[in-house]
Each structure stands twice: as structure tokens, then as C-alpha cells.
Amino acid sequence: VWNRPVLLVRRFDVVTTGRLALLSFRSLLAVDDFPDFISYADLAEIVRRVSADPRIDVDLFFKQMVVNVCLFNTDDHLQNFSMVHGKAGWRLSPAYDLVPNVWREEQLLKINGKHTGITLEDLLSESREFGLSRKRALNLTEEVLDGMAGWERLFPEIPGEAAEGM
């Protein structure tokens, strides 16, 4: 536009009939400030209670957690996760606001009781709280890692050391 690059994004909450209802996890928890004791497993419990298809949405939420750790997306606050209401009822929204963060090393949400130094074992330990078997969590983690293979080439200034531990 006017000789400048433009990024067009198709919003998942905008449909031909209008906008779908969208509730962030911040709204679902009714909190003003971000409490540092909330974990991904705590949010997975909300997904299990609210989702019209919790089995699929818990898997997707686990994968979002793995992506955030691998991508160094430490901006994983409650407003960056939502439930969206469509024809099938409440479902976990697609992931959004996924950006590597080079200024902060710690996740906002806890994983296995930790904000930093997250390992594969931490992800697998947290997966038990999601109600996932170790085998299922490993399969989901492998799907994410396969899908993200080579992402560091897109962000050459960000070291890939954290992703290497996965």
C-alpha cells in the first residue's frame, strides 16, 4: 500500500455473519493482574471444563505450550489464550501473538513449577497434569518439533540454544 509492505491476517473470530464470541483466559479467571503462580496445567483444566471437545483442545493447548517454549515466546500471559464460541460451542482458539522474545528468558506461565530452564522432562511432567500419557505428550511434542524445524533461520539474531534442549 503506497509502496510499503503490508501484512494481511485472516482473523479466526471474524466470520461472514459477524464476530464470534471470544473470551481470554484472563476473563475466564476474572483476574486483573497476572499472578505468577498460574501454570499451563491450570489453564488446561479450564480447557477441559469449558471446551465442547476437550480431548482435542487439551492436545492443542499442550502443543501451544511446546511452541511457546521452543520459540522463546515468553509473552505467554492470560490474554494470549482464548476460548472462541462457534457452531460447535466453546473451543480453544487458534494460537496467536507468537513471537520470539529476546528480552525476557522466563515463561510467564509455570511449567512443572518453573518459569525458566524448561526441559523436555518438564514438558512431559506438566503433561501429566493435562491428563495426557507420556507417550501422547511425546507424540505431540514431536509433531511440534517437526513442524518448527528450522524456525531459527527466520530469526538469525536469536540463538537456538533453548530449542536444542527439546
Side-chain angles (χ1 to χ4, degrees), residues 84-120:
V84 63
H85 192 274
K87 292 177 185 176
W90 288 103
R91 298 295 308 274
L92 181 67
S93 75
Y96 55 91
D97 199 7
L98 300 175
V99 180
N101 189 336
V102 296
W103 298 279
R104 189 178 67 236
E105 295 179 9
E106 64 275 349
Q107 301 296 137
L108 290 173
L109 293 171
K110 283 186 165 187
I111 299 172
N112 195 29
K114 299 163 50 174
H115 292 283
T116 61
I118 309 300
T119 65
L120 175 59

Side-chain angles (χ1 to χ4, degrees), residues 46-55 57 83 90-92:
I46 292 171
V47 172
R48 277 197 298 275
R49 285 194 323 234
V50 174
S51 174
D53 196 342
R55 186 183 57 80
D57 285 346
M83 299 296 291
W90 288 103
R91 298 295 308 274
L92 181 67

Side-chain angles (χ1 to χ4, degrees), residues 124 127-128 131-138:
L124 296 175
S127 74
R128 286 191 298 269
L132 300 174
S133 69
R134 182 177 180 89
K135 181 179 179 182
R136 181 71 184 141
L138 280 168

Side-chain angles (χ1 to χ4, degrees), residues 12-15 17-23 84-87 90:
F12 59 83
D13 61 332
V14 176
V15 294
T17 57
R19 288 186 69 177
L20 300 175
L22 184 75
L23 279 173
V84 63
H85 192 274
K87 292 177 185 176
W90 288 103

Side-chain angles (χ1 to χ4, degrees), residues 33-76:
D33 294 325
F34 186 85
D36 68 351
F37 58 83
I38 295 179
S39 69
Y40 275 92
D42 294 330
L43 300 188
E45 176 59 30
I46 292 171
V47 172
R48 277 197 298 275
R49 285 194 323 234
V50 174
S51 174
D53 196 342
R55 186 183 57 80
I56 289 174
D57 285 346
V58 166
D59 282 2
L60 291 172
F61 189 65
F62 179 81
K63 289 168 82 171
Q64 284 186 21
M65 175 182 71
V66 175
V67 166
N68 284 340
V69 170
C70 292
L71 189 63
F72 310 105
N73 181 25
T74 57
D75 189 32
D76 52 348

